[in-house]
Amino acid sequence: MMNSSVLLALVLFATLVTGNGNLQDNGNGNKDGLPTTATRDIKAFPACVTDSDCAAVSGLGGEVADFKCFQSMCFPWANKELQGGQATCTKSSQCDSGHCFRHSDRRKVNTGICVSQSEMVHCFSHSECPQPLQCVNGYCGQQDYLEAIQNMTCTEDSVCQDLLVGKGCCVDLSGTHWLSEKGSKPRKCCDSDVITPPENLNSKQLQKLDSKLTDMEVFEMNQMICLALPDQMMLKLSSCLKFTTTTTTTTTTTTTTTTAPPSTSKTRRSPQTSDTISLNFSLALLLPLGLLLH
């Protein structure tokens, strides 16, 4: 008869090989055998930061359902048909992974989702997550969800920094969505001040961009936007011309003035002046001679 300890060991080995154990490696696991790569479909379950991001979400076929934000994905928690095989739960013991993530509003949303151990990690930086996961909305998650959140509109720099998707909330002139949004100032998170438009804009698009910049003068941001544009594009926009740098060449003419040295020649006396002096001298000699004769 087989020893009971040997039989138990064989059962455990068979469980791990067939993939029914909690330590199953899905081919993308870490060194401990714990799965690190989620299998979320971002098309079926779009990215979100709060529940408000899920308000307009529907099923892939247009089905109406109550989508709520679970970590960083909109999920139809009450509609089994739209859940795409995602395991749901009310407690961790119901999940093969041993981890049930519950929505913050437990009174209204009474169903959670099963997640891996790595996805339950709270994070404040990307380095806190095992590869290839990134820190997405406070939890370790997929890279494509992080990129989708970065592509959302923003209003404040601090939000971008907290979500680890940029240094600030930048003016977004990429694509052509701004062409139809009169008077608007679209923004997205980035690491610069402005997300510049494509360099191959046609003349009509350049004209609309110029009009957009004119409309945005009220925000006193035109100089920042214009200086962020490529030089060739900037020169084609009348609203940016006052911010262009022009180089002026100045020719300086130097005039040299030569001063003649003072004259050292003596001044000649006029003949009239010399005769007068001689006459006075002669009279002075004759006056004593006349006194002697008397």
Side-chain angles (χ1 to χ4, degrees), residues 188-199:
K188 288 181 183 178
C189 296
C190 76
D191 291 327
S192 57
D193 294 323
V194 180
I195 303 176
T196 58
E199 294 189 18

Side-chain angles (χ1 to χ4, degrees), residues 195-208:
I195 303 176
T196 58
E199 294 189 18
N200 59 345
L201 294 181
N202 56 42
S203 57
K204 187 175 181 179
Q205 291 173 329
L206 285 171
Q207 185 177 1
K208 288 185 177 181

Side-chain angles (χ1 to χ4, degrees), residues 141-215:
Q142 296 174 195
Q143 174 72 30
D144 53 350
Y145 276 83
L146 181 70
E147 293 173 355
I149 290 175
Q150 184 177 22
N151 201 41
M152 292 179 177
T153 57
C154 60
T155 56
E156 298 178 4
D157 294 340
S158 59
V159 174
C160 299
Q161 296 166 8
D162 292 342
L163 292 173
L164 305 177
V165 289
K167 294 181 180 179
C169 189
C170 316
V171 176
D172 178 28
L173 297 178
S174 63
T176 56
H177 60 279
W178 47 267
L179 293 175
S180 58
E181 299 177 5
K182 183 175 177 60
S184 66
K185 187 175 56 171
R187 286 175 168 269
K188 288 181 183 178
C189 296
C190 76
D191 291 327
S192 57
D193 294 323
V194 180
I195 303 176
T196 58
E199 294 189 18
N200 59 345
L201 294 181
N202 56 42
S203 57
K204 187 175 181 179
Q205 291 173 329
L206 285 171
Q207 185 177 1
K208 288 185 177 181
L209 175 59
D210 201 15
S211 177
K212 168 70 70 174
L213 291 174
T214 301
D215 293 340

